[in-house]
Amino acid sequence: MSWIKLAFDNFLNDSKSSDGRLVILTQITLILFLATLSLTSASVQQYLDGNLNNMLGADVSVSGPRPLSNSDDQLLSQKASGIARIQLLPLAISLRGKTIPVQLKVIGDRYPLQGSLKIGTAENRSIQKTIEHGPPSGEIWLGPRASSKIGANIGDRIAIGEDMFRFSAIIYHEPDRLMEGHSVSMRAMINSNSLAIEDFKSSKMRYRYLLTATPDQQADVENWAAETLSDFTLLTKAGGGHPLALFWQRTENFLGLASVILFFLAAIAIDMANRRYLERQKQRLAVYLSFGQTLASCLRLSLLQWLFGFLLSFVIAVSLSYIAQYFLIGQLIDQFPGITSGWHLAIIAKTTGLIFLLLLAFQIPMLWQLSRTSLVGLIRAVEYPSAQLLRIFWGFASISLLAAYYSDNFLLTGLTLGALGAALLLMAILSWIILTAGEFWGRRYPGLLSFNFFIMKQRMLSKSSQILGLGLCSLLLLFTLMLMKDIGDTMKGYTRANDGNLMVAELQEKDKPALENWSRKNQSEIRQLRPYAAAKLSEINGQPIDAAISTPSETLATVKKSIRLHWSNTIPSNNKLVGGKWWSEKESNWNQISAEEEVMTDLGLNYGDQLTFVIGGKATIFELVASHAFKPGRGSVTFWFQIPERAMDVIKPDVFYMGSIELPEAAWSELGSLWRNYPSLSLVPLKELTQRFDDLLAIVTKLVVGYAAMVLIMTALVIAASMKGFEAEDRQKNGLLMSMGVTKKACVKLALYDWLTVSLIAAIGAIAGTWLAGFLIYQSQFSMIYEPDPIWLVSTMLAIGVTVCGIGVIYSRNSLSTSINNLLHD
């Protein structure tokens, strides 16, 4: 107990110091961010589990890209107590010369299987009625957004191609709405007896079977579907697996990956603040050892003292995180109606354990340094260069662990950390070059500036830490502030220049001549049309995709649904070969496939892997032999997977096209007639894509501003730590200079030169790191050339540099306010 009391007393004394408070504040900020993220995520997952039970519309849902065969349909009906069959496809509806795309749900007489529909016959949402069946034959129901967009009134005749249907109700609620995931498509519903669905084809068509079943029947259906329906998705109330679960987990991973950057800054702040803490610990250990205590007991005392600091940070941060969770949940109510916050003690324990291990890793170099020194070395406070290298190693090891824990895109993570590492290496090299050159120059031209280079060269190790810390902060601020601005301008400019003003999202092969004739008639230019077939990745090396891949990612979520499979004997003009070997036209082996480089990284694929795709209900195995990447300049339509043309003669799939068209102003008024005649044609005007992007940009900007605020807080802590961490050395230097007759004004000018040199090197490294990160990430993730605004970049860097220099000079003036005797005594 005496050791515990001594450790607690030491902790209290250290926490009263400025650097002790900095360490605690840094730990609180870091724990607060990660704990709030974990609590909010746990509340969302809890909501999704409850939402699954209430909004599935059945006990079991089976959905896929094709209809079940008659035998499978009958077998499924026998295994369940009840069944409702639904078809979903994108189609265009028309009214009074206006045409809009909708997600059309074609239902049978058994729908809804569980729950009820809520409809209205007026625009007033408060006037609703509950009904136990869908629209009768000859009628169509529209969602509120669709009816408002097309300007429909109850009783209007809505056209789908040549067929007309009476608009009789507005749909406000569907019991199986959960299965639409996070889709924002406008909705419509029609009876299966009203429309010959066989006349329409779409790669986005989905078939859904809703079942009522006992727990035993559910288990029987799951086992049967796992063996028979590899290209279908099955959801049960008991089994979980909300459609938004992986979507939210990817969001959590993205935010968690952002915390790696904050942890980077926290590591620098803690390392700098720990410099004086380490000196105090050395002095204490020297005293304890001189009294006959063992080194092991002293190290345990030091570790126990740190533990008290962690516990205090934990209590404060977790208390604040529950308050932050409450406010964040309030912001999510619109997206997740009825969501509530919770305690989630197990989640907090897991997050705390992770942070504890990461922060503990920073103590290992200090304990190692204390354990390796002699009593004389402790008294003299000798610092070893190997200790600095050990701190750097453990810092990078901890950050890599956190990145691996949260990352769902290892390519993006590697590029981000690689850019940061390259920037740090550049700043370290520049520090040595500039200080060495400055010292050499100063031998010929004596003065304060020359003396500054000499002093900084003698303190190379400590000044490099300061430069790296400030440079990394500046890099992160620059990249965060410029990211959305640059990507917005680049995306808009590139898309408009290469893809025309109308995107063709899907075109049936039989409708291609009609589109070409319409384009010639209306003086429109078809920029690109690329063929593809709908395919679903079902197995990797003989394993179901869920068993082969455990890490969630956007790529995995897409391939589990459906992808566009392209064929070409030669590498497309807007692609480049990254690795492997592209097939030749003379080869007889058509079971070859090339995957996009990032897709291979996300899914963990290797050359030689066997990929099973379900195309048109039939499974086909391809061997992965090559990887490709997007090459700007020849249109943006590219594909994740590509196969030889000979494969089409064997597979014989339904063929679709996607591409883009440049329409003159006069052609827009004629577009409605094309859409009405070919309702399965999927067209998206560029201005609509731009609006979607702007809406997304507004949401992401809010996230970026919030994240930038966290980076600013951490940056302020790093700057404070960089000044406090080297305070003793600066005071000793100033005391020595003033004792030799140097004026306070000259000392302030010397401090200004010092901070200008630090800011200059940090600025060069930050700008270079920002450019490298933008070049790598934009090209890899967005397939675009990074073109930053140099004037804005330099202006921002100058503002940061002036701020840092100003704070540094003010701080230096304060350090000179005491007498020479006091400075020398320090």
Side-chain angles (χ1 to χ4, degrees), residues 401-415:
L401 174 63
L402 190 66
Y405 179 82
Y406 277 112
S407 178
D408 64 359
N409 186 327
F410 291 105
L411 177 62
L412 175 59
T413 305
L415 292 175

Side-chain angles (χ1 to χ4, degrees), residues 751-767:
L752 176 60
Y753 291 151
D754 187 301
W755 283 108
L756 281 173
T757 306
V758 169
S759 298
L760 174 64
I761 300 174
I764 295 174
I767 292 175

Side-chain angles (χ1 to χ4, degrees), residues 568-572 577 580-584 587 594 625-626 628 642:
S568 176
N569 282 337
T570 58
I571 302 175
L577 186 65
K581 181 181 179 182
W582 199 273
W583 47 86
S584 67
E587 289 185 59
S594 175
V625 298
H628 60 272
Q642 304 188 48

Side-chain angles (χ1 to χ4, degrees), residues 386-402:
S386 59
Q388 181 79 2
L389 296 176
L390 190 63
R391 289 204 301 269
I392 294 174
F393 169 78
W394 277 103
F396 271 95
S398 302
I399 292 164
S400 300
L401 174 63
L402 190 66

Side-chain angles (χ1 to χ4, degrees), residues 250-498:
R250 292 193 299 273
T251 303
E252 179 189 356
N253 284 347
F254 174 78
L255 296 174
L257 192 56
S259 69
V260 174
I261 308 301
L262 297 178
F263 193 82
F264 227 130
L265 298 178
I268 296 172
I270 291 174
D271 183 72
M272 289 183 174
N274 271 346
R275 288 174 56 85
R276 292 208 303 174
Y277 172 75
L278 179 60
E279 296 305 318
R280 285 195 299 271
Q281 286 297 92
K282 287 181 178 181
Q283 295 169 8
R284 283 173 182 153
L285 260 65
V287 173
Y288 298 153
L289 290 173
S290 67
F291 287 160
Q293 298 296 329
T294 64
L295 182 60
S297 298
C298 294
L299 293 178
R300 284 197 298 269
L301 178 66
S302 179
L303 188 60
L304 188 59
Q305 179 182 335
W306 170 81
L307 184 60
F308 281 121
F310 175 80
L311 290 176
L312 176 64
S313 304
F314 167 77
V315 171
I316 296 174
V318 170
S319 301
L320 293 175
S321 68
Y322 278 107
I323 299 174
Q325 179 204 193
Y326 175 80
F327 287 104
L328 284 176
I329 292 299
Q331 298 295 316
L332 294 174
I333 286 180
D334 291 340
Q335 287 75 26
F336 304 110
I339 190 174
T340 57
S341 56
W343 291 101
H344 309 297
L345 299 180
I347 297 295
I348 283 293
K350 179 181 176 181
T351 303
T352 302
L354 175 64
I355 299 173
F356 176 81
L357 292 175
L358 293 172
L359 293 177
L360 181 62
F362 292 141
Q363 304 306 310
I364 293 177
M366 184 190 71
L367 296 175
W368 179 86
Q369 188 171 352
L370 292 175
S371 68
R372 301 287 292 180
T373 52
S374 63
L375 180 58
V376 175
L378 290 172
I379 294 174
R380 293 181 178 176
V382 177
E383 184 171 354
Y384 300 95
S386 59
Q388 181 79 2
L389 296 176
L390 190 63
R391 289 204 301 269
I392 294 174
F393 169 78
W394 277 103
F396 271 95
S398 302
I399 292 164
S400 300
L401 174 63
L402 190 66
Y405 179 82
Y406 277 112
S407 178
D408 64 359
N409 186 327
F410 291 105
L411 177 62
L412 175 59
T413 305
L415 292 175
T416 303
L417 297 181
L420 293 177
L424 292 176
L425 179 62
L426 174 64
M427 284 184 278
I429 295 174
L430 280 175
S431 299
W432 184 86
I433 292 176
I434 292 178
L435 296 183
T436 301
E439 184 190 27
F440 180 77
W441 171 81
R443 295 173 183 174
R444 298 184 178 182
Y445 306 96
L448 280 178
L449 181 59
S450 303
F451 184 65
N452 170 68
F453 283 123
F454 172 76
I455 292 294
M456 291 187 71
K457 179 66 183 299
Q458 301 307 310
R459 302 167 62 192
M460 173 73 77
L461 195 61
S462 59
K463 298 310 292 184
S464 294
S465 299
Q466 205 170 47
I467 290 169
L468 296 181
L470 294 176
L472 182 61
C473 292
S474 302
L475 189 161
L476 296 173
L477 279 173
L478 278 178
F479 192 70
T480 301
L481 293 174
M482 292 190 67
L483 177 62
M484 300 316 299
K485 174 182 179 294
D486 287 340
I487 192 175
D489 295 342
T490 305
M491 283 185 69
K492 290 177 182 177
Y494 176 79
T495 301
R496 184 66 182 86
N498 293 275

